[in-house]
Every structure is written in C-alpha cells, then in structure tokens.
C-alpha cells in the first residue's frame, strides 16, 4: 500500500484544471458527440444532452471530486477506505473494468487519427470526391494490418506517458496540449460556418425537432453526457485524489463541465455545416468525422496542412484521455496489488492491447461475430457508455447520500469552510434525489419496464 501522504499532487492550479479538462475532452467531444448528434436527430439530442450535463453530470462530477480528494486513493481503494468491509467498493471495480473496456474501443479510434496524420503528410488526402473519401475510410478501417498497428502504437504511447509518472507525464503534457487544441478548433469552426450551405447544418444542430425524441435518444444523450465528462468510472476520483488541499472542487467541476461542453458544441459547429455543405448523411455513424472533414480540407488552400493540424489535434485530445483511463487502471493495480508503477502499467497495457486488436478487427474480418447484433467494437461502446457509466454514476450518488455525513461532505467541498458553496443544499438535493431517480427511470424505461407497468393498468 502506498502511504496516503506520499502521493504526488498536481503542481499548480492551472495544472489541475488543464489535466482534468484534458481527461474530459477527447474523442468523446470531437468524434463521438457529432456522430451521436447526427444519428439521434440533431438539435433535440443536443438539448437532452445539455439537460443531462446539468442535472446529472455536474452533481456526479462534484461527488467524484469529493470522494477522490477525501480518500486520496484510487477508484477502487477509495470506497474500501471510506466504507470498509462493505460492498460499495464494487463501484470502484466496475470503474476499473470500464477503463479497460473503454480503452478497448477508444484506442482504435485514436489509432485512426494517426493514419490520417500520415496520409495528410503524404498528400493522399487530397483530390478525391466525397464518395471516394467514404470508401477509402471503409477500406482502411476494415483492413487487417494498418488499423491494428496504429492501435498498438497509440497504446504504447499512452503507456510511456503514464509510467513516467503523474506529475511529470500527465501534467506537463496537458499544459500545452489543451490550449493549442482549443485554438485550432475555433479556427476550423470559422472555416466551416463560412462554407456555402452552412446554414442548414447550423439549423440541424440548433433548431430542435421534438418528434425525434424517444427513449433510445434519451439513453444515448445520458450516455454521451457521462462519457464526455469522464464520469461514472472513477476517472475523476483518481484525478481528484491528486488535487491539492486548496483546490476548489466545486469551481473546478463547473469549469471543467463548461469547457467540455463548449468543445463538444464547437465540434458540432465544425462538423455539421460541412456535412450539409458536402451532401454527407449526418447519420453516417462512427466514420462521420473521418469522412466529412477531409472534404472540407480538400476544398481549402493548403488542404493537407489543415488535415495535419486537425488530426494532430484530435490525436492529442485522445491521448490526454487515454492517459486518464490508463491511469485509473494503473493506479489501481499499483496500489492494490503492491506492484511497481512500471509493472502495473505494463500489465494494464497488455490487456488493453488484446481488447484493442479484437475491436479493430471487428470492423473487418470479425464483423460477422456479433452479440445482440453488435460487433465487438459496438458492444464495448454500448456496455460502457449506456450501462456501466450511468449505473455507477447512480451508485456514486447513492453512496455519498447514504454513507457520508453531510457535514463531512460540506467540509471537504468548502475546503474546511474557506471557500463558499452557495448552492450546497441544491447540490445535495440533486445528488440524493434527482440524479439517482432520473438515471433509474431512464434505465427502467429503456428496459421496457415502464411501458409494461402502464399496460398493466
Ligand atoms: N471523456 C473522454 C472523452 O470525451 C473519454 C474519457 C476519458 C472517459 N476518461 C473517461 C470516459 C472516463 C468515461 C470515463 O473523450
């Protein structure tokens, strides 16, 4: 066991925010958010997503910060420390498992960004029609060697940053990556909204059509909110266990939530005008970003430079997130099994490589092997984002409401009374009632239980 006081902490206030934003902002915002929005009807999905962020996301994030800094342990150890001898640590184990499973599909998509960077360098992303871009993507993602090699490279990259240590690796990397990423995104948005026909894309993103809302759209919006904010998995528990005593937990949660949502919406503004301008289907699915943007770059002067910048940006955003996911699993193995960080990291990387390779191949030669009609890649995504994350988010809220004395909660969240928390009672109410009940109802509805009960009367 690592002594509580020996744990490293993030060096500066800015470092805390940047590292946590780096964890939250990633493929979830730039790849998954546009494709989910496109597949679930546009603005109506965005609206539900924002509601989920505010009603469920923010309270769960503050609660995870509380658990992490209060216990100063990894995701699973935190629950053992705060409720010894109980079954609550299952939340932590669920989180560690989710980290492995998420990395299993996440590193595949992260690998795709590397392919596009090299293609842009060799100028093979220019001079093609929209259909050719789409066909090329399918040919690439379903092939056997290249996507697998990129997945492996991405996992190895993550591995080295994680084992080089939290303070040195993660913080230093996030410090310059996040601001650069943000700037690049703004530039690309400006380009996209000035394309001919851009208004249609903006209308799709911002003018809700409420007839598009059904229970699966609600579940998708909730899953996306959890995934994008990195909550319900102990990721933020692990990160906040490195926060210093003076870190303002509520303010940090609010800043991270706002920045994360802003990046997602900017990604939408970057993608949808282009989707409509180039006549691409918004419902294209996981390839949406990869088949839309090369068209945009293709129409620009210095198109390859644009491609390189964008896919580099996407790769970096993915890297700061894979680091955080890897860290959850590594911190757990390191602290709970008394292994060195290096060995723990290697063990974790090896498992992720196995999952990653299978899920990459499930785009091609293993496509026929499905469970409930989902390929391995889709299954990992579904199980983690739509089930595991919201479910443990719900349990985290119940845990704190039941097991933690309100005065202890308030003391930690106000740094022993030194920073005010004006909405503490609202927060406590949301955590105790609104968030768990809402998540529970969405689950019941998706399982068809509510319809069943209605039909009985
Ligand atoms: N939120 C990140 C993204 O949007 C992905 C991620 C990192 C994540 N850590 C997580 C998702 C923990 C869920 C749980 O890309």
């Amino acid at each position: 066991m690592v002594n509580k006081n020996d744990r490293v902490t993030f060096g500066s206030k800015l470092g805390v925010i940047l590292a946590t934003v780096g964890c939250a902002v990633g493929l979830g915002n730039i790849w998954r958010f546009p494709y989910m929005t496109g597949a679930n009807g546009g603005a109506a999905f965005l609206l539900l997503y924002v509601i989920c962020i505010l009603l469920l996301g923010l309270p769960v994030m503050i609660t995870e910060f509380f658990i992490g800094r209060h216990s100063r342990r990894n995701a699973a150890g935190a629950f053992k420390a705060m409720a010894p001898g109980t079954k609550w640590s299952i939340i932590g184990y669920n989180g560690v498992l989710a980290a492995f499973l998420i990395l299993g599909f996440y590193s595949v998509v992260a690998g795709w960004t590397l392919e596009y960077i090299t293609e842009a360098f060799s100028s093979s992303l220019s001079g093609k029609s929209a259909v050719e871009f789409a066909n090329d993507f399918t040919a690439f993602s379903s092939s056997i060697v290249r996507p697998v090699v990129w997945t492996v490279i991405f996992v190895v990259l993550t591995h080295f940053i994680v084992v080089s240590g939290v303070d040195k690796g993660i913080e230093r990397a996030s410090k310059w990556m996040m601001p650069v990423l943000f700037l690049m995104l703004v530039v690309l948005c400006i380009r996209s909204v000035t394309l001919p026909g851009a208004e249609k894309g903006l209308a799709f993103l911002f003018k809700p059509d409420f007839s598009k809302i059904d229970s699966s759209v609600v579940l998708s919006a909730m899953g996306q909110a959890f995934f994008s904010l990195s909550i319900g998995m102990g990721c933020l528990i692990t990160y906040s266990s490195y926060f210093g005593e003076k870190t303002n937990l509520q303010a940090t949660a609010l800043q991270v939530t706002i920045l994360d949502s802003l990046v997602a919406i900017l990604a939408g503004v970057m993608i949808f005008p282009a989707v409509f301008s180039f006549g691409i289907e918004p419902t294209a699915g996981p390839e949406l970003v990869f088949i839309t943007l090369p068209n945009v770059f293709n129409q620009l002067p210095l198109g390859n430079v644009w491609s390189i910048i964008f896919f580099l940006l996407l790769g970096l955003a993915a890297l700061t997130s894979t680091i955080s996911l890897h860290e959850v699993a590594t911190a757990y193995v390191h602290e709970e099994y008394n292994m060195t960080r290096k060995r723990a990291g290697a063990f974790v990387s090896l498992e992720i490589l196995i999952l990653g390779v299978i899920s990459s191949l499930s785009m091609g030669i293993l496509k026929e092997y499905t469970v409930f009609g989902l390929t391995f890649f889709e299954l990992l995504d579904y199980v983690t984002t739509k089930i595991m994350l919201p479910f443990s988010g719900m349990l985290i809220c119940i845990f704190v409401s039941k097991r933690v004395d309100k005065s202890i909660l308030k003391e930690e969240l106000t740094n022993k009374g030194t920073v005010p928390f004006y909405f503490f009672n609202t927060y406590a109410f949301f955590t105790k009632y609104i968030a768990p009940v809402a998540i529970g109802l969405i689950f019941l509805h998706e399982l068809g239980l509510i319809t069943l009960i209605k039909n009985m009367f």
Side-chain angles (χ1 to χ4, degrees), residues 23-24 26-29 102 106 227-228 230 233 235 321 324-325 389:
C23 159
L27 294 172
N29 308 62
I102 291 174
Y106 203 91
F227 186 77
S228 189
S230 304
M233 205 212 70
C235 206
S321 296
S324 75
L325 288 156
L389 300 180

Side-chain angles (χ1 to χ4, degrees), residues 250 410 414 419-427:
Q250 339 133 27
K410 190 162 187 179
T414 56
V419 288
F421 190 171
Y422 300 114
F423 300 102
F424 179 75
N425 286 331
T426 318
Y427 154 76

Side-chain angles (χ1 to χ4, degrees), residues 75-105:
F79 293 95
K80 274 201 217 157
M82 289 175 70
T86 64
K87 296 229 157 46
W88 288 105
S89 48
I90 202 158
I91 305 176
Y93 298 126
N94 174 72
V96 174
L97 180 65
F100 281 105
L101 301 182
I102 291 174
L103 277 169
F105 71 91

Side-chain angles (χ1 to χ4, degrees), residues 29-333:
N29 308 62
I30 297 167
W31 158 72
R32 202 173 186 279
F33 173 78
Y35 115 62
M36 278 288 151
T37 307
N40 287 290
F45 175 86
L46 174 62
L47 188 70
L48 288 174
Y49 169 74
V50 172
I51 293 174
C52 288
I53 292 273
L54 296 175
L55 250 53
L56 315 176
L58 198 53
V60 177
M61 187 183 287
I62 296 175
T63 309
E64 284 203 29
F65 281 176
F66 161 77
I67 296 174
R69 197 182 59 180
H70 192 66
S71 68
R72 296 227 169 277
R73 300 273 298 274
N74 64 72
F79 293 95
K80 274 201 217 157
M82 289 175 70
T86 64
K87 296 229 157 46
W88 288 105
S89 48
I90 202 158
I91 305 176
Y93 298 126
N94 174 72
V96 174
L97 180 65
F100 281 105
L101 301 182
I102 291 174
L103 277 169
F105 71 91
Y106 203 91
S107 40
V108 174
V109 183
W112 294 346
T113 65
L114 300 180
E115 166 77 11
Y116 275 69
I117 294 170
T118 47
E119 280 194 28
F121 267 112
S122 64
S123 301
S124 55
L125 276 186
S126 44
K128 288 180 191 160
S129 68
V131 178
E132 279 174 316
F133 280 127
N135 290 342
D136 282 359
F137 177 84
T138 313
F140 157 70
S141 62
S142 61
S143 65
I144 299 176
V145 182
R146 288 185 77 94
V148 171
V149 170
W150 289 127
T151 304
V152 172
I153 291 178
F154 210 93
V155 174
V156 171
L157 212 63
T158 308
H159 171 89
F160 281 111
I161 297 188
V162 170
V163 295
S164 78
V166 176
D167 49 346
K168 284 192 246 98
I170 300 178
E171 191 175 349
R172 199 190 295 159
S174 302
K175 248 185 194 159
W176 61 271
M177 281 185 208
M178 286 324 284
V180 173
L181 181 149
F182 202 79
L183 266 182
M184 289 179 175
L185 209 53
V186 172
V187 174
L188 286 169
C189 277
I190 296 172
R191 177 61 273 198
S192 191
V193 296
T194 49
L195 285 169
E199 328 74 59
K200 274 200 218 122
L202 290 174
F204 178 80
L205 186 60
F206 294 118
K207 264 207 189 131
D209 169 0
F210 293 104
S211 67
K212 297 255 167 72
I213 298 180
D214 62 21
S215 77
S216 107
V217 176
V218 178
L219 185 71
S220 300
M222 175 169 76
Q224 177 59 27
F226 274 75
F227 186 77
S228 189
L229 292 178
S230 304
I231 53 178
M233 205 212 70
C235 206
L236 297 181
I237 293 180
T238 305
Y239 263 48
S240 55
S241 73
Y242 302 118
F243 285 180
E245 261 169 32
K246 294 225 171 74
T247 305
N248 183 338
L249 299 182
Q250 339 133 27
T252 307
L254 192 64
Q255 284 154 351
V256 172
T257 303
I258 292 173
L259 279 172
D260 185 75
S261 312
L262 198 63
V263 172
I265 293 169
L266 282 179
V269 174
M270 170 176 77
I271 298 289
F272 287 107
V275 163
F276 283 85
S277 181
F278 293 104
I280 292 164
E281 283 303 321
T283 52
E287 67 255 51
L288 186 67
V289 172
F290 291 91
I291 63 173
T292 303
L293 286 161
N295 291 292
V296 183
F297 306 138
N298 206 15
Q299 303 293 322
L300 290 168
L302 299 176
N304 280 313
V305 178
W306 285 98
S307 312
I308 293 169
I309 292 175
F310 175 77
F311 289 109
L312 203 59
L313 166 154
L314 192 54
L316 292 177
L319 187 62
T320 51
S321 296
T322 53
I323 290 169
S324 75
L325 288 156
H326 198 298
E327 172 63 23
V328 171
T330 303
Y332 167 71
V333 177

